[in-house]
Every structure is written in C-alpha cells, then in structure tokens.
C-alpha cells in the first residue's frame, strides 16, 4: 500500500512538471527587431531627357543648363507605415547592402493617413528646387550616387502618426535614370552600427 502511494505521488509529480513546461516557454508577443524594407522605386535604365514625356509641372529647378520643369523618370509609393522608433534610410536592395544612384534627383513626399502631402525633400544632383514659392530642402550631399544607408530620411517622418512616402525620380538635363530604391526602417540600435562602420 505504501509503495503504491509513493508510485502514485511520483506519477502526479511528473504530470505537474509536464504541465509547467509551456508556461515557461518564451512569449511570441515580443516585438520584432528585424528591419522592414519597402521598395520605393524599380531600377530604370537611362533614357534621354527628351524621351521622357511626363513632366512634373509643380516643380521648378534653378537649372543653368537644361529644362526648369523636370521630367518624370519613374515614381513609386509605400503603403501606410509607422516609424515605431526606427531609423529610416535609403538603400539599393532589401538586405540593406547596396547604395542608390539617381540622375538627376529624387523628390520625396511624405503623406499623412488621408493622403495629404505634409513634407517634402530632394535627394541627388540638383541645384535649387522649388514647389510654388517654397524652396525644397535637400537631404544629404549633392551627388549622383550614395553609399548604403547614407541618405537618412528619419527627420522627415512623423514619430507616431501613420505615413506614406512617395518617391519620384526627376531629370532635367541629358539622361534620366534611377537604381532600385528601398526605404528600410531599422531599430535605432542597428542604425548606430552603420554609423560606427563609417568612422
């Protein structure tokens, strides 16, 4: 009788241990730290400026050569996104290993959840760019090519509100083209690793 009681107690003990395993497993609700990559523009091979039929009438360039009203190489737009504490940078691929190139420049427009443009900036090789009476700010240096993640657009984006980013590659002289362009949202800690690599 005594040995049967011990065996029964041991069996109950094993069952109790077995029940505790799932409760000690890690929770799957932990926030993801993986970067999010969203393609903005698809690689577009070079075309003569005159062959680009669509123009961006609301944009004017202080061009010493070429046309003051730039022509559209290509355009693209993200779905609704949230920054959620991430840094937002431009890359030439989804793995965030390649840089980008554009001739002449990108017009970046930030839209709110209703589709209204709330901010804009330009990236690339251009002189002054105007929309109406406003001069559009440049992000980064004046160049045709940029290193991976060199162009940081975090400051253009709202911290807590949903947004979309529309990118338009524009050209006003010679040949227009653009590489693949991805918007990569990565936790701030990952972004600082990139900064250290450049030192």
């Amino acid at each position: 009788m005594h040995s049967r009681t011990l065996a029964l107690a041991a069996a109950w003990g094993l069952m109790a241990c077995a029940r505790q395993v799932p409760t000690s497993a890690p929770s799957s609700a932990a926030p993801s730290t993986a970067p999010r990559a969203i393609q903005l523009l698809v690689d577009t091979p070079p075309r003569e400026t005159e062959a680009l039929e669509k123009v961006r009438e609301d944009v004017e360039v202080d061009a010493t050569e070429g046309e003051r009203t730039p022509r559209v190489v290509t355009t693209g737009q993200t779905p609704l996104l949230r920054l959620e504490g991430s840094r937002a940078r431009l890359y030439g691929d989804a793995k965030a290993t390649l840089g980008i190139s554009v001739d002449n420049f990108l017009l970046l427009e930030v839209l709110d959840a209703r589709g209204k443009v709330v901010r804009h900036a330009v990236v690339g090789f251009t002189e002054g760019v105007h929309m109406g009476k406003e001069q559009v700010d440049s992000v980064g240096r004046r160049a045709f090519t940029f290193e991976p993640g060199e162009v940081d657009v975090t400051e253009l984006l709202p911290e807590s509100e949903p947004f979309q980013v529309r990118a338009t590659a524009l050209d006003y002289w010679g040949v227009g083209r653009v590489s693949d362009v991805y918007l990569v949202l990565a936790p701030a800690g990952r972004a600082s690793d990139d900064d250290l690599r450049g030192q």
Side-chain angles (χ1 to χ4, degrees):
M1 185 94 165
H2 182 68
S3 60
R4 192 180 299 171
T5 305
L6 286 175
L8 192 57
W12 277 111
L14 286 172
M15 288 174 65
C17 288
R19 285 190 191 128
Q20 290 173 3
V21 172
T23 59
S24 64
S27 169
S28 59
S32 172
T33 57
R36 293 173 287 161
I38 305 95
Q39 188 160 18
L40 266 175
L41 297 173
V42 176
D43 181 82
T44 304
R47 291 179 65 193
E48 295 289 332
T49 306
E50 294 78 14
L52 301 169
E53 297 178 0
K54 187 176 179 182
V55 295
R56 187 69 192 250
E57 296 282 1
D58 60 332
V59 178
E60 185 175 343
V61 181
D62 292 336
T64 52
E65 293 183 289
E67 304 173 359
R68 292 183 67 84
T69 304
R71 301 193 183 214
V72 176
V73 178
T74 189
T75 189
Q77 187 167 314
T78 70
L80 272 176
L81 302 169
R82 285 183 182 270
L83 201 55
E84 298 177 336
S86 294
R87 300 297 298 179
R89 298 182 181 196
L90 300 183
Y91 291 87
D93 65 332
K95 294 181 179 179
T97 60
L98 301 176
I100 63 170
S101 62
V102 60
D103 188 349
N104 283 98
F105 67 97
L106 300 178
L107 172 65
L108 300 177
E109 296 172 283
V110 180
L111 293 74
D112 64 17
R114 297 184 301 276
K116 178 185 175 184
V117 176
V118 292
R119 299 283 302 273
H120 41 243
V122 295
V123 177
F125 192 88
T126 183
E127 298 166 60
V129 176
H130 304 269
M131 297 183 78
K133 295 181 179 180
E134 181 185 353
Q135 180 159 346
V136 182
D137 290 335
S138 291
V139 178
R141 59 194 171 87
R142 187 172 181 242
F144 290 110
T145 60
F146 299 88
E147 295 297 317
E150 177 182 345
V151 180
D152 188 330
V153 297
T154 310
E155 300 306 317
L156 294 175
L157 307 176
E159 286 185 28
S160 55
E161 298 299 317
F163 63 87
Q164 290 177 284
V165 177
R166 180 166 60 219
T168 307
L170 296 169
D171 180 62
Y172 58 87
W173 174 252
V175 172
R177 74 161 307 275
V178 67
S179 67
D180 287 325
V181 178
Y182 285 78
L183 177 68
V184 177
L185 305 179
R190 283 179 172 266
S192 64
D193 292 343
D194 294 338
D195 295 337
L196 290 172
R197 196 172 52 197
Q199 290 179 359

